[in-house]
Amino acid sequence: MPSPLCQQLRKGTFALSTLTFFFILQQLWARFSISSKFPISVSSTMAKTPADIPNDTVLEDFPKRIWTTSRLSPMRIKKEDADRVRTWMDQNPEHRYELLTDGGAETYVKEHFPEDSKILDTYMTLSDYIMRADLIRYLALLKDGGVYNDLDVGCLRPIDLWVPPACKDNTSVVLGIEVDNEMGPDKSKLFELVNWTIMAKRNAPFMQFLVDHVIENLERAAAKHNTTLFSLQPKRQEVIDVTGPAALTEAVFQYLTEKTQTIVSMQNFTKMRRPKLVADILVLPINAFGAGHQVQWSGTDEDGSALVHHYFAGSWKTNHFDGPTKEEKKAVEAKKKEDEDKKRKEEEEKKKAEEERRRKEEEDKKKAEAEKARKEAEANQKQAELEHQASEPDHKEEQGQEQEDEQEQQTDQEQESVQQEQTQQEQQRNGEQVQEGDADNKAAKPEKKVSYDILEQERQRAMEDLQRVNAVRGKTRQEAIKKIIADRQRDVIERKKDEENKKKLAQLEELKAKQKKQQIPVQDTDGQKSQPSASSHTSAQSQDQANTDNNEQAQENVPVQQPAPKS
């Protein structure tokens, strides 16, 4: 029976073998999953081994070193930063972790670049600590290679699994994408590579190109501000453009354009879904180093494509104020919007008040005009009443004149009817006088003469009354017209009277002619002329006297008339 010690050894060996097996299986699964997430895509412009790239640089493995910079010593860094450092150690136990403080960085530059006075003088003169941090990471990767990461970046996958096996021998620098807006909703032309995580081999040609490019940018920035590197106080965006991600992106495009002899720009790397090798630079998709970024299209940590996670502590921004932060911008925009809304409301209220004032002025103006019109109408009405009152006597006189004219016309008509009746009666009487004799004619003479005298007197009185009325009224146009009408009416009446007188004269002539016929002597049967009797003589004398009276009466009515000859 085995001893207890042997049994314990067997159990320990079995447990160790089991752990070893699962570790190997985990490593193989991780390698497979990473390779499947990033299938190989080699650019047509890539050279297997470019002539200007040393073979030992390209073919060697990436150094197992991890670089980080900090202004504080390892004992003074914050707990969250220490936890992120621990992720690198846990995921990469075979790598050596290097933390460069400000003093350690200066010592490193002096030891590794003693003969390069340009690099040494630039770094030792430069006072801005963020620009110094950017430059020291490029110098450390140039001289010793490995992986650089900021203190606020955590490792999610082992570094040995970052580069596909088919690209390891031909890759000297590994970079990731931070911003690719053509993948986003705004489609703006903004593309930028990451500088919070960079992987490089020792003495990589691009790293030397990048260091030279950054030093030139620093010199131009100092000349632009007319100062020295020691006195240079850059703004936030200026840091990004001179030594930060923008400077790195610009250097990559220039370097690859020179190496491939073709123009390389963001169009060669936008909307990438798999790693892309151009010359000796391998560019990973945005979700490799940019997972957890503010943009939604950068991927997530859980989908297995993210290699690191950047927590965006952004401590360097506090001393490089180049405008407000995002929170500050939001606050400023909110305040600006609030001020704009308040201003707009004030303008609207002011506009409403102005419109109300104008409306009130228009209403007052309309009321004033209406009141003025009413007063004018009242004044006109009063004036009309005064004029009417002033003209009322004339109107009454006109009405009186009209009444007088109507009465006069009525009187004339009555006179005319009376004359007609008298004429008819006269004609009847004349006929009776012819039959009855001279006695009846003599008896009727005074009546005829009296009636004509009455008519003449009435006419004369009417004329006198009219003349008096005309004298009282005055000679206005209307009165003159009425006078003319009255005169015409009188003329018509006089003409009618003349015609009647003529008819009467004609009737008298007929009567005379009949009387003459009656006075012809009658011849007896025995041939002797018959002598008129006494009665016939008397009748003849009566007829002569009647004719004489009729002629006298006709002469009275007709001023110019020759007397009829007596028989």
Side-chain angles (χ1 to χ4, degrees):
M1 183 175 181
S3 62
L5 180 61
C6 292
Q7 292 179 357
Q8 290 179 359
L9 289 175
R10 288 178 182 177
K11 290 180 180 180
T13 304
F14 179 76
L16 181 61
S17 301
T18 304
L19 290 175
T20 304
F21 174 77
F22 280 109
F23 176 76
I24 294 172
L25 184 62
Q26 181 185 6
Q27 295 295 323
L28 291 174
W29 176 257
R31 182 182 296 273
F32 175 77
S33 62
I34 295 296
S35 300
S36 62
K37 291 292 180 181
F38 301 124
I40 305 303
S41 174
V42 181
S43 172
S44 60
T45 59
M46 181 199 72
K48 284 287 184 180
T49 306
D52 53 349
I53 301 177
N55 291 337
D56 56 350
T57 301
V58 175
L59 296 177
E60 72 173 6
D61 291 334
F62 288 94
K64 295 182 180 298
R65 304 186 72 170
I66 301 173
W67 299 90
T68 302
T69 59
S70 174
R71 301 189 69 185
L72 304 175
S73 64
M75 301 301 294
R76 296 176 60 187
I77 62 175
K78 295 183 291 185
K79 181 180 182 303
E80 55 267 23
D81 292 335
D83 293 340
R84 292 164 193 149
V85 170
R86 192 173 293 108
T87 61
W88 289 95
M89 295 179 178
D90 293 342
Q91 292 287 342
N92 306 282
E94 297 180 359
H95 286 65
R96 177 183 175 182
Y97 194 89
E98 300 281 352
L99 179 64
L100 292 174
T101 61
D102 289 346
E106 290 183 358
T107 302
Y108 183 87
V109 173
K110 291 177 182 179
E111 290 179 357
H112 291 81
F113 299 96
E115 298 179 357
D116 196 331
S117 59
K118 190 172 185 179
I119 294 176
L120 184 61
D121 293 342
T122 299
Y123 187 83
M124 299 305 293
T125 306
L126 187 63
S127 62
D128 185 79
Y129 73 94
I130 294 299
M131 288 184 167
R132 287 165 64 96
D134 287 336
L135 184 55
I136 190 60
R137 76 186 66 182
Y138 304 147
L139 294 175
L141 292 176
L142 171 62
K143 182 58 65 175
D144 291 322
V147 176
Y148 172 83
N149 63 275
D150 284 342
L151 198 60
D152 59 349
V153 177
C155 182
L156 301 178
R157 296 288 183 272
I159 296 174
D160 292 339
L161 304 180
W162 287 7
V163 180
C167 297
K168 279 188 176 181
D169 294 339
N170 300 319
T171 302
S172 63
V173 177
V174 179
L175 300 173
I177 299 173
E178 177 183 3
V179 179
D180 184 5
N181 276 2
E182 285 201 355
M183 294 180 66
D186 55 355
K187 305 297 182 183
S188 60
K189 300 296 181 182
L190 180 59
F191 180 89
E192 198 168 79
L193 296 173
V194 169
N195 85 325
W196 60 66
T197 300
I198 303 173
M199 185 177 182
K201 294 180 180 179
R202 285 189 296 267
N203 299 319
F206 171 71
M207 296 310 300
Q208 182 64 56
F209 185 88
L210 176 60
V211 169
D212 296 339
H213 179 74
V214 169
I215 291 175
E216 291 177 1
N217 287 347
L218 288 169
E219 291 175 351
R220 281 194 296 268
K224 177 182 178 181
H225 293 283
N226 194 21
T227 185
T228 61
L229 292 176
F230 180 78
S231 302
L232 183 63
Q233 295 180 353
K235 302 295 183 181
R236 185 184 303 172
Q237 187 59 43
E238 195 170 13
V239 173
I240 295 173
D241 294 337
V242 174
T243 62
L248 171 64
T249 304
E250 184 180 8
V252 169
F253 292 158
Q254 292 180 5
Y255 174 80
L256 293 180
T257 298
E258 292 179 5
K259 294 301 178 183
T260 61
Q261 298 299 312
T262 57
I263 297 175
V264 178
S265 64
M266 62 172 290
Q267 301 300 330
N268 298 87
F269 302 103
T270 187
K271 298 181 181 180
M272 287 175 49
R273 297 297 182 185
R274 57 179 60 90
K276 190 171 187 179
L277 180 64
V278 180
D280 61 329
I281 296 179
L282 180 66
V283 180
L284 302 178
I286 189 172
N287 49 340
F289 290 170
H293 200 258
Q294 291 91 332
V295 293
Q296 295 179 354
W297 60 90
S298 61
T300 60
D301 299 343
E302 290 77 13
D303 63 0
S305 60
L307 303 180
V308 300
H309 184 91
H310 187 204
Y311 291 93
F312 292 94
S315 60
W316 67 274
K317 298 178 182 179
T318 57
N319 296 327
H320 294 80
F321 183 75
D322 191 19
T325 61
K326 290 185 177 180
E327 292 76 12
E328 294 171 344
K329 286 182 179 179
K330 289 181 180 179
V332 171
E333 290 176 358
K335 184 66 168 59
K336 184 178 179 181
K337 186 177 180 181
E338 183 180 356
D339 294 340
E340 290 177 354
D341 294 339
K342 184 177 179 181
K343 185 177 180 181
R344 185 175 64 254
K345 289 180 180 179
E346 289 177 354
E347 290 178 354
E348 290 177 355
E349 291 177 357
K350 186 177 179 181
K351 187 176 180 181
K352 289 181 180 179
E354 183 67 18
E355 291 178 354
E356 183 68 19
R357 185 184 63 80
R358 291 180 180 176
R359 187 183 63 80
K360 189 174 181 181
E361 288 180 354
E362 291 178 356
E363 290 180 356
D364 294 341
K365 186 177 180 181
K366 290 180 179 179
K367 289 180 180 178
E369 291 177 354
E371 184 67 18
K372 184 178 178 181
R374 186 183 64 79
K375 290 181 178 179
E376 290 179 355
E378 290 179 355
N380 293 333
Q381 186 177 1
K382 289 180 180 179
Q383 184 67 23
E385 290 176 357
L386 293 174
E387 292 178 356
H388 179 70
Q389 291 175 0
S391 62
E392 188 173 0
D394 296 337
H395 182 64
K396 290 181 179 179
E397 291 180 359
E398 291 177 359
Q399 289 181 351
Q401 181 62 30
E402 290 177 357
Q403 292 177 359
E404 291 177 358
D405 293 340
E406 291 178 357
Q407 291 177 358
E408 183 180 354
Q409 186 176 2
Q410 186 176 2
T411 303
D412 293 339
Q413 290 178 356
E414 291 176 356
Q415 290 177 356
E416 185 178 355
S417 62
V418 169
Q419 278 184 345
Q420 290 178 357
E421 291 177 358
Q422 291 175 355
T423 303
Q424 292 177 359
Q425 292 176 1
E426 184 179 357
Q427 290 177 358
Q428 292 176 0
R429 284 195 299 271
N430 288 334
E432 292 175 355
Q433 288 173 0
V434 172
Q435 295 176 1
E436 295 177 357
D438 295 332
D440 295 333
N441 289 332
K442 288 179 182 180
K445 281 182 183 179
E447 291 181 6
K448 291 182 182 179
K449 195 165 185 179
V450 171
S451 64
Y452 279 105
D453 292 340
I454 292 171
L455 291 174
E456 182 64 23
Q457 290 175 3
E458 292 291 335
R459 189 178 71 81
Q460 288 178 359
R461 283 197 300 270
M463 290 295 293
E464 291 175 358
D465 293 338
L466 181 62
Q467 289 176 359
R468 285 195 302 271
V469 171
N470 289 334
V472 173
R473 287 189 305 173
K475 295 184 178 181
T476 61
R477 182 174 179 275
Q478 186 175 5
E479 293 170 351
I481 292 172
K482 291 181 179 180
K483 183 179 178 182
I484 291 170
I485 293 172
D487 294 339
R488 289 180 180 176
Q489 291 177 352
R490 284 192 295 272
D491 292 339
V492 171
I493 294 171
E494 289 178 356
R495 284 198 300 271
K496 288 182 178 180
K497 290 179 179 180
D498 293 339
E499 291 178 356
E500 291 176 355
N501 291 331
K502 289 179 181 180
K503 289 180 180 180
K504 291 177 181 179
L505 291 174
Q507 291 176 358
L508 291 175
E509 290 294 333
E510 290 179 358
L511 290 173
K512 289 179 181 179
K514 290 180 179 180
Q515 290 175 0
K516 287 180 180 180
K517 289 180 179 180
Q518 291 176 359
Q519 291 176 1
I520 296 173
V522 181
Q523 191 117 10
D524 293 335
T525 57
D526 56 359
Q528 296 180 357
K529 291 182 180 180
S530 61
Q531 295 294 331
S533 64
S535 61
S536 62
H537 181 71
T538 304
S539 178
Q541 288 180 354
S542 299
Q543 184 68 32
D544 290 338
Q545 184 63 38
N547 291 336
T548 302
D549 294 337
N550 290 331
N551 288 334
E552 289 176 358
Q553 186 177 1
Q555 287 176 2
E556 290 177 0
N557 293 327
V558 181
V560 181
Q561 184 69 38
Q562 296 295 331
K566 294 181 180 180
S567 57

